[in-house]
Amino acid sequence: MADHKLSVEDLLSFPALQLTVLAGASGLRRSVSWAHVSELEDPTPWLLGAEMILTTGLALPRTGARQRAYLERLDDAGVSALALSAQLHVPPLHPAFVQAAEERGMPVLEVPLSVPFIAIAQEVAAAVQEIPGQRLGAQLQVFGALRWLATERLETAVLFRRLERLSGYQVYLCTTQGRTLLPGVPVPDPDLLPGSVDAPPSIPGGFAVPVLAPGGPAGFLVALERRGASPAGLAVVQHIATVAALQLAMVRQERETLRREGAETLAELLQDVLDPAAARRRLQRLSIEGDIALVVVRTVSEDDLLRNLDELPYLMLNRGDERYLLGPPELGTAIAAIPGVAVGMSRSFAPGESLRVAQREALWAVSQAAQSGRPLVRYGNDPTGRWLPDDPTVLSALVEHVLGDVMRYDAAHNADLLISVRTWMERDRRTDAAAAALHIHPNTLAYRLRRFADLSGRGLSSTETFAEVWLAIRAAGQLGLTD
């Protein structure tokens, strides 16, 4: 099959492509051997020369100096022309960029939004006929995946199954830590991942390439040759990685929208301003169904929290140093796996119920988790809690009757009688252990216990009064009156 020389000028003459020249018209006689889609700021390691680079604009830097450097890199690598898709992601073109194109005779073209990149690739391929038919077909159709993203809104799993059939590879995606990157796409064997994003792309049986995102690589795409299929090569794998990056941007935007809506909904639920029917509808739209629980979390970063909740539906709201989450009871177990975390969880309840009781339960439970050093405390698992009513009026009356005078004394004198008694009780009345936890001398603790008995009128040596004081301390914690 004979080769035919094709120039940039020839492509301008094709009416169907509707290409226009933005800069660098003196280089229109440059030869074109292939049309290559790239959203990389530096695609030159993967170029052979004489390519026309097609980009939606994601690859083009925003500043004048970096735009000029980008164009000069392409020109130094032998690129024939740069084609920018109109009205997509192309930033304003700086005078330094245009000047560089004119000085170097590097054609910069504009592609109308109505003309897909696949049409340009087909014209180039038909003219030069340098690539075997099967690989050509894969290249062209993978280019078309950009159009699928824009027009068909395919589910991620369906999109990548199409790309697998076209490319001859089994495709895997993961974050740089080896976690799921996109829903519906499996994670590769960790042994296949490169040591860094700059590592050579070749691996046994295929390729591993980075998936780029604003701020740095989001993860890796691993493509392994499928038995009985004809693999289409590294260029196709690179294009699939670009599709993955665009899909990831869309998924992240959708997640962020849902997260903001979820935070607003949870704030309204905590304020008890939604009627039950409206609350159920709102939660169902956010995929919160079945038995749910309220979780309060301390001592964990939002990034660590999100990484451990990839597969669970939830609403999250930040309140100071605490994070409130509403979702299935499995949330508590998932979050408790984070080192150093303190998690408090309410009892389960049905969507639409008021969160007033659940909020008290979760706050009490997280306080117990923080005090005890346990990662997770579920309200109701405490054997004392089952004897306390849910009615805050009854609980308040119990606290006032048993502890009122002590709490007022603590407030007036900046004393720690109540916390000292509670610590002593929690450590099974072992004075030395409780004093060590309070960082005081055992004699000081003994004095505080006597002072508590004097103020409350309840000696702690009696089983009856001990039980009454213990229940009152638990009630105060449930009401949020103690730390």
Side-chain angles (χ1 to χ4, degrees):
M1 192 174 293
D3 293 347
H4 299 283
K5 291 292 184 181
L6 178 71
S7 69
V8 179
E9 193 171 35
D10 293 331
L11 292 174
L12 288 171
S13 68
F14 296 165
L17 301 186
Q18 304 176 50
L19 300 174
T20 56
V21 181
L22 299 177
S26 62
L28 294 179
R29 293 189 178 275
R30 293 187 180 197
S31 296
V32 179
S33 64
W34 185 243
H36 183 77
V37 175
S38 177
E39 304 300 347
L40 301 175
E41 189 170 338
D42 185 10
T44 57
W46 291 273
L47 302 179
L48 298 176
E51 295 94 350
M52 171 187 281
I53 295 296
L54 311 170
T55 176
T56 61
L58 293 176
L60 197 60
R62 269 49 184 169
T63 66
R66 290 179 62 196
Q67 283 187 4
R68 182 182 183 103
Y70 169 74
L71 184 134
E72 290 176 345
R73 278 196 301 274
L74 296 184
D75 188 45
D76 291 342
V79 169
S80 303
L82 175 64
L84 307 174
S85 183
Q87 302 173 7
L88 280 179
H89 306 290
V90 178
L93 300 180
H94 287 260
F97 173 83
V98 175
Q99 182 180 356
E102 296 292 352
E103 291 173 355
R104 289 177 169 249
M106 171 72 162
V108 178
L109 312 178
E110 184 174 74
V111 185
L113 194 59
S114 59
V115 178
F117 286 167
I118 189 173
I120 299 172
Q122 286 173 330
E123 292 289 356
V124 173
V128 299
Q129 299 182 8
E130 289 181 347
I131 298 178
Q134 193 277 336
R135 180 167 295 193
L136 170 64
Q139 289 265 16
L140 299 183
Q141 292 183 73
V142 170
F143 289 152
L146 296 173
R147 192 169 187 178
W148 301 339
L149 282 176
T151 60
E152 297 188 42
R153 298 289 293 166
L154 297 177
E155 290 185 3
T156 302
V158 175
L159 172 65
F160 279 86
R161 281 198 295 270
R162 282 194 189 182
L163 293 172
E164 286 180 333
R165 289 196 299 270
L166 292 172
S167 66
Y169 293 98
Q170 183 75 37
V171 174
Y172 303 86
L173 287 169
C174 68
T175 66
T176 53
Q177 292 81 30
R179 298 176 180 270
T180 298
L181 184 65
L182 284 174
V185 183
V187 171
D189 185 327
D191 293 338
L192 296 174
L193 297 180
S196 74
V197 295
D198 299 319
S202 296
I203 61 173
F207 302 100
V209 298
V211 177
L212 301 181
F220 294 99
L221 181 146
V222 173
L224 299 179
E225 298 176 6
R226 290 190 291 114
R227 183 176 298 178
S230 299
L234 177 59
V236 164
V237 174
Q238 288 285 356
H239 298 325
I240 296 176
T242 297
V243 173
L246 293 172
Q247 182 73 350
L248 179 63
M250 294 167 61
V251 168
R252 285 179 171 176
Q253 183 176 7
E254 290 171 358
R255 283 178 177 171
E256 183 58 31
T257 300
L258 289 174
R259 188 173 295 142
R260 286 197 297 269
E261 184 179 350
E264 293 169 2
T265 296
L266 183 50
E268 292 181 81
L269 289 171
L270 290 169
Q271 295 166 18
D272 209 18
V273 297
L274 292 178
D275 65 77
R280 283 193 293 272
R281 287 194 301 271
R282 193 88 69 86
L283 291 172
Q284 186 175 27
R285 188 169 69 247
L286 294 166
S287 302
I288 308 294
E289 300 178 282
D291 285 343
I292 57 176
L294 183 67
V295 176
V296 177
V297 184
R298 293 180 185 171
T299 66
V300 66
S301 71
E302 186 170 348
D303 288 343
D304 286 341
L305 195 55
L306 296 178
R307 277 196 293 270
N308 279 265
L309 298 177
D310 283 343
E311 305 300 326
L312 291 172
Y314 62 90
L315 313 184
M316 184 173 74
L317 177 67
N318 293 327
R319 280 188 166 182
D321 294 332
E322 294 178 333
R323 308 187 193 284
Y324 286 65
L325 293 97
L326 184 69
E330 294 84 1
L331 276 176
T333 304
I335 301 170
I338 303 172
V341 74
V343 184
M345 189 169 76
S346 73
R347 291 172 293 182
S348 298
F349 56 94
E353 290 186 16
S354 170
L355 265 61
R356 282 179 293 183
V357 172
Q359 186 174 359
R360 289 200 303 271
E361 293 176 352
L363 286 170
W364 177 87
V366 75
S367 177
Q368 295 302 304
Q371 292 166 15
S372 66
R374 287 180 286 169
L376 171 64
V377 171
R378 293 181 175 87
Y379 185 90
N381 285 1
D382 174 23
T384 305
R386 71 184 64 180
W387 303 108
L388 293 173
D390 290 330
D391 189 339
T393 303
V394 176
L395 294 176
S396 297
L398 172 61
V399 172
E400 172 60 29
H401 178 64
V402 178
L403 305 175
D405 289 339
V406 175
M407 295 176 74
R408 282 186 284 276
Y409 180 87
D410 276 350
H413 298 85
N414 197 26
D416 292 317
L417 299 184
L418 185 57
I419 191 172
S420 297
V421 170
R422 186 189 71 193
T423 303
W424 178 71
M425 287 181 162
E426 289 174 341
R427 282 155 180 79
D428 299 324
R429 291 172 282 186
R430 290 182 286 115
T431 302
D432 289 343
L438 291 165
H439 305 291
I440 60 176
H441 193 277
N443 290 343
T444 303
L445 176 58
Y447 166 77
R448 291 180 181 179
L449 296 178
R450 291 194 300 271
R451 189 74 180 118
F452 175 92
D454 292 341
L455 288 168
S456 66
R458 290 165 174 80
L460 297 173
S461 58
S462 161
T463 301
E464 180 180 354
T465 56
F466 183 94
E468 185 182 26
V469 169
W470 179 241
L471 287 171
I473 288 175
R474 287 303 198 195
Q478 190 167 321
L479 291 170
L481 300 177
T482 59
D483 293 333

